[in-house]
Amino acid sequence: MASEKPNRLIHETSPYLLQHAHNPVDWYPWCEEAFEKARRENKPILLSIGYSACHWCHVMERESFENEAIAALMNEHFVNIKVDREERPDLDEIYMNAVQLLTGRGGWPMTVFLTPEGKPFYGGTYFPPEDRYGVPGFPRILLGVASAYREKPHDVQRSVQQILAALERMSAAAEETRRAFSRDTLAQAAERLAQLYDPNYGGFGKAPKFPNPGVYELLLRAYRRSKNKRYLDMVTHTLERMAHGGIYDQLGGGFHRYSVDEKWLVPHFEKMLYDNAQLVRIYAQAFRASGEETFKRVVEHTLAYVLREMRHPEGGFYSTQDADSEGEEGKFFLWTPAEVTRILGDDAGEIFCRIYDVTEEGNFEGKNILHRILSIEQAARLFRRDPGEIEALLRRAREKLFAEREQRVKPFRDEKIIASWNGLMLSGLAAAIEISPAADFIAAAERAVGFFFTRMFRNGRLLHVYKDQKANLLGYLDDYAFMAAGMLDLYEALLDRSYFDRAFELTERMIGDFWDEGNGGFFYTGSEHEALIARSKPAFDGSIPSGNAVAALLLLRLYHYTGKDSFLGKAEKVLRLYYDLAESQPFGFAHMLAALDFYLEKPKEVTIIGSQQDPGVAALLQSVRSRYLPNLTLQLAGPDEALGSISPLLQGKTQLNGKPTAYVCHDSTCSQPVSTPEELGVLLDT
């Protein structure tokens, strides 16, 4: 039941916190006032962490936080703090590590019990409102923890010490490897990953099945190195199954968070910006590696969704869309045969239902998630129609059903704009522009960059989050690394040097604020962030890449543009720190292994001299962009520019016979300049 009088969360901007502003729980945001109250009254802190698109977070709110009796227990025995994990990823990481140490598992909603000094001693994830399936109910947990805190302080202190010691071990710098980097590491990692591959449905492991763009990219890199088509087939099969599955929104575009089954059929219906950003990029890379047109269409369709549903009017990108609408998970996305037939008519409705598996029985709680079970060719044979006719019918049908669906109540959208996730989106846009340079995509990238440096950049520093015309919280490592990488990707896509300058500026600030001068590697929090009970150096990939891995690759790329030795040295240090771990756990270190691949192979350094408006330059660029070249630097300069002042790679380069000219260098050796796409292609393929 909602309380008439709001609690302190009413003054926050986070949609997730505002959703709890009328709970009868006496919630505090993360603030000194809460800790002062806990110390003054000698009460433990109940820290609850979640996010707006989290289905079970909403369930626990309805069951417990809106329950007057449970709220009364919370208010009597605890100081209650509510945190949006997307706003405070630093808190989320530390206390999630603590919960995983305590329980062996993690997830959201997360419930952690702290001393008044913020030190964890007990925790878990979702707790039911009463004892259920052998799991103690939340009231029992509350009373047990409160009693232990009062009556067994030595046990609480012992638990605190054990958890803090484990967190310190996790936060400590890894030891640099004493071994030389092996060129076989990537191949060995690819083989280990291949053992986890699902040959029936694609992807890795069984249910639930998550997209793993970093792993797919590692396999593409292994394919490019080895020419072993098996690695490419694993990626293309997976991406095809995902694109035809329920995890992909067949009408509106964009991917849901993950599939609860192994077939990619039944998704958890939330849509996250970071998933769609990374998937746009990997589908674009797979298109360049395979030439499969389906992948290009998925890129364009997914970006159409992002620009339509997830874009702030001034250019930044929102965080998430809920799984639920009208209180039911997935309701917005489900169909019955009667609904489809009413909108499309009997003939088109029958064909559409057959192709997209819409049945009376349903495939999800009596209704249907659209997913492709027949190809155009199979449907053409089944219905004795021309394939072109079937394709046109489906296109019209999707348009009509999408228009009808737009009249439904849409899932809630969390309109926070998070710098790191937007950096991933810039990289996705850049990858899309290279294969499909639509004016909408280019304009979206340009507007987004303008937004970030107008709204989320202050006194030379990046801010983490923007909501309701207010940016706050100093940026974390991921914000700087992902945004700088996105800027560099945009530079290579649009060849506008202002993006390169922004990437360089952000990287220099990242080094100044996050680099560990003593042991190497990048801390997650900067020198000016709030001091917490631990200071971690994330290296393991989760749903987003590791900040240290992205930073390492960024530094290597910038070194090959600028020749700045300190960039190379720091990247080497990061690779040495995490090499042994990456070698032993490739699934969790795919992005670190991608950086290692760039380091060992070294990039093709391509420089084109000419005007971007010249058709000859466009032809040379197309020769580059029609190939999958993960290890590449690309620069364009006009023949009349002072080239040496821009980059050492440009020194002394001129046009041949007044024509656009390409130079390719690799591993400290440069080839003869060329002026035709065919000649450039030969250099790129060798």
Side-chain angles (χ1 to χ4, degrees):
M1 178 183 293
S3 172
E4 291 184 9
K5 182 182 178 182
N7 55 51
R8 292 168 186 82
L9 300 184
I10 197 67
H11 303 296
E12 298 297 306
T13 58
S14 158
Y16 177 66
L17 298 187
L18 289 170
Q19 286 165 359
H20 293 77
H22 287 275
N23 294 164
V25 178
D26 186 16
W27 289 117
Y28 285 79
W30 182 273
C31 62
E32 179 54 33
E33 181 186 357
F35 287 95
E36 172 56 32
K37 178 180 172 67
R39 290 190 293 268
R40 186 173 65 250
E41 299 180 8
N42 191 27
K43 283 185 176 180
I45 289 167
L46 188 161
L47 173 63
S48 176
I49 300 181
Y51 60 103
S52 67
C54 165
H55 173 70
W56 285 100
C57 297
H58 297 314
V59 171
M60 191 165 177
E61 181 190 12
R62 289 195 300 270
E63 292 178 341
S64 294
F65 303 150
E66 293 180 353
N67 182 301
E68 295 280 357
I70 293 177
L73 285 176
M74 294 171 66
N75 295 338
E76 178 183 356
H77 296 290
F78 301 93
V79 175
N80 304 290
I81 296 178
K82 174 60 76 172
V83 165
D84 181 341
R85 68 174 289 258
E86 296 167 355
E87 272 198 337
R88 291 299 302 265
D90 53 338
L91 296 173
D92 181 64
E93 181 180 22
I94 290 170
Y95 292 111
M96 180 60 74
N97 286 339
V99 168
Q100 289 172 332
L101 289 167
L102 285 161
T103 67
R105 60 189 291 267
W108 300 274
M110 174 168 45
T111 309
V112 199
F113 296 94
L114 317 177
T115 68
E117 295 73 41
K119 299 174 181 177
F121 62 92
Y122 187 73
T125 53
Y126 165 77
F127 291 109
E130 66 263 333
D131 297 357
R132 189 182 294 164
Y133 301 119
V135 177
F138 198 40
R140 185 190 294 270
I141 293 290
L142 294 172
L143 291 172
V145 171
S147 174
Y149 183 80
R150 286 193 313 270
E151 299 169 13
K152 299 179 180 179
H154 295 298
D155 290 350
V156 169
Q157 190 57 33
R158 188 183 312 115
S159 178
V160 164
Q161 291 171 348
Q162 291 171 347
I163 294 168
L164 290 181
L167 289 175
E168 186 174 349
R169 288 193 297 272
M170 293 174 70
S171 301
E175 289 190 12
E176 289 188 54
T177 187
R178 297 184 179 181
R179 299 180 298 137
F181 296 149
S182 170
R183 290 185 174 274
D184 295 331
T185 301
L186 185 69
Q188 292 166 354
E191 273 307 304
R192 292 187 63 179
L193 293 169
Q195 294 171 14
L196 304 173
Y197 177 70
D198 179 353
N200 295 316
Y201 304 110
F204 295 87
K206 301 298 182 183
K209 193 171 278 184
F210 288 79
N212 298 110
V215 173
Y216 308 157
E217 180 179 347
L218 200 60
L219 291 173
L220 287 182
R221 285 173 173 270
Y223 160 68
R224 187 179 178 280
R225 268 200 177 196
S226 67
K227 308 304 181 189
N228 184 339
K229 193 169 179 291
R230 174 166 156 255
Y231 298 138
L232 176 64
D233 290 343
M234 289 179 188
V235 176
T236 56
H237 178 225
T238 298
L239 296 183
E240 285 168 358
R241 293 302 299 239
M242 287 173 56
H244 292 153
I247 192 174
Y248 185 64
D249 182 351
Q250 301 293 328
L251 298 183
F255 289 86
H256 300 292
R257 178 71 193 92
Y258 62 88
S259 174
V260 302
D261 62 279
E262 64 183 358
K263 300 179 181 180
W264 306 108
L265 169 58
V266 180
H268 188 40
F269 287 93
E270 64 194 9
K271 286 182 178 179
M272 314 297 289
L273 180 68
Y274 58 72
D275 285 322
N276 285 284
Q278 294 176 88
L279 287 166
V280 162
R281 185 169 179 268
I282 193 63
Y283 272 89
Q285 291 173 331
F287 170 71
R288 291 171 70 166
S290 69
E292 174 54 58
E293 286 290 330
T294 298
F295 299 157
K296 185 177 180 182
R297 288 195 294 272
V298 169
V299 168
E300 294 168 343
H301 197 207
T302 301
L303 273 185
Y305 154 72
V306 171
L307 300 190
R308 182 183 70 245
E309 299 287 347
M310 300 294 281
R311 183 164 52 159
H312 185 280
E314 294 182 38
F317 297 99
Y318 301 134
S319 301
T320 65
Q321 281 186 310
D322 255 7
D324 301 3
S325 53
E326 300 183 82
E328 296 181 28
E329 184 174 10
K331 181 176 182 179
F332 181 77
F333 300 98
L334 303 177
W335 297 89
T336 65
E339 289 173 320
V340 172
T341 302
R342 174 177 60 81
I343 296 160
L344 301 183
D346 291 341
D347 182 53
E350 180 188 3
I351 294 172
F352 184 91
C353 287
R354 185 70 182 86
I355 292 172
Y356 283 95
D357 191 31
V358 180
T359 65
E360 293 294 341
E361 297 78 18
N363 54 37
F364 181 74
E365 298 181 357
K367 293 190 176 182
N368 295 274
I369 300 164
L370 302 183
H371 70 124
R372 286 281 290 270
I373 60 171
L374 293 180
S375 68
I376 295 292
E377 292 73 20
Q378 289 171 327
R381 289 195 296 271
L382 179 64
F383 291 100
R384 299 182 180 180
R385 307 283 183 94
D386 180 78
E389 183 184 352
I390 294 288
E391 193 152 13
L393 181 150
L394 287 184
R395 184 171 58 252
R396 291 191 301 271
R398 287 192 298 265
E399 289 171 355
K400 289 180 180 179
L401 291 172
F402 175 75
E404 177 73 16
R405 196 180 76 176
E406 284 292 281
Q407 306 307 310
R408 296 177 178 177
V409 177
K410 291 188 177 183
F412 173 79
R413 179 175 66 193
D414 186 331
E415 296 185 353
K416 289 195 312 295
I417 295 173
I418 296 172
S420 56
W421 300 5
N422 275 262
L424 294 173
M425 194 68 247
L426 290 182
S427 292
L429 276 166
I433 289 166
E434 288 178 336
I435 66 165
S436 182
D440 284 354
F441 299 166
I442 295 171
E446 292 171 343
R447 281 179 60 80
V449 172
F451 175 87
F452 303 137
F453 285 95
T454 301
R455 300 295 191 186
M456 300 183 69
F457 196 68
R458 187 182 303 151
N459 300 324
R461 281 184 163 80
L462 195 60
L463 298 177
H464 172 65
V465 63
Y466 178 93
K467 176 73 169 62
D468 294 340
Q469 300 183 326
K470 181 181 178 182
N472 56 31
L473 300 173
L474 289 173
Y476 301 102
L477 170 62
D478 290 358
D479 296 316
Y480 280 89
F482 297 2
M483 190 64 75
M487 293 292 169
L488 191 53
D489 290 337
L490 276 182
Y491 168 65
E492 292 181 345
L494 298 175
L495 298 167
D496 178 337
R497 189 155 291 275
S498 68
Y499 297 125
F500 179 90
D501 294 339
R502 287 295 193 187
F504 187 88
E505 176 186 11
L506 291 171
T507 301
E508 292 273 61
R509 175 60 69 183
M510 178 183 74
I511 292 169
D513 286 358
F514 298 89
W515 181 254
D516 180 355
E517 290 291 350
N519 298 301
F522 290 94
F523 290 114
Y524 188 74
T525 52
S527 54
E528 296 187 12
H529 276 103
E530 173 187 359
L532 302 173
I533 60 171
R535 195 178 183 200
S536 62
K537 291 180 186 172
F540 191 89
D541 295 335
S543 54
I544 60 176
S546 140
N548 268 283
V550 174
L553 181 55
L554 171 68
L555 289 169
L556 290 170
R557 294 169 68 191
L558 286 174
Y559 165 72
H560 283 278
Y561 277 107
T562 65
K564 190 168 181 176
D565 289 334
S566 63
F567 287 174
L568 176 62
K570 287 180 171 58
E572 288 176 327
K573 180 82 169 180
V574 172
L575 292 174
R576 286 197 300 271
L577 284 171
Y578 299 110
Y579 178 72
D580 292 338
L581 282 170
E583 188 180 47
S584 64
Q585 302 177 50
F587 198 90
F589 286 85
H591 290 92
M592 193 69 73
L593 290 167
L596 179 70
D597 178 54
F598 189 100
Y599 175 79
L600 291 175
E601 184 176 285
K602 299 184 176 64
K604 297 276 189 180
E605 298 169 332
V606 179
T607 302
I608 297 174
I609 308 299
S611 168
Q612 194 161 2
Q613 288 70 43
D614 190 318
V617 167
L620 292 172
L621 287 173
Q622 180 57 27
S623 184
V624 175
R625 290 169 176 164
S626 62
R627 291 168 164 79
Y628 174 61
L629 299 168
N631 300 330
L632 174 81
T633 64
L634 176 64
Q635 297 195 81
L636 174 70
D640 300 324
E641 292 186 71
L643 303 184
S645 65
I646 299 174
S647 165
L649 290 178
L650 301 179
Q651 187 73 45
K653 291 178 170 56
T654 60
Q655 289 189 333
L656 293 177
N657 303 317
K659 296 180 179 179
T661 302
Y663 293 78
V664 179
C665 300
H666 179 245
D667 199 8
S668 305
T669 301
C670 295
S671 303
Q672 288 289 331
V674 297
S675 56
T676 69
E678 294 74 20
E679 292 171 311
L680 177 55
V682 170
L683 296 178
L684 295 173
D685 291 338
T686 55

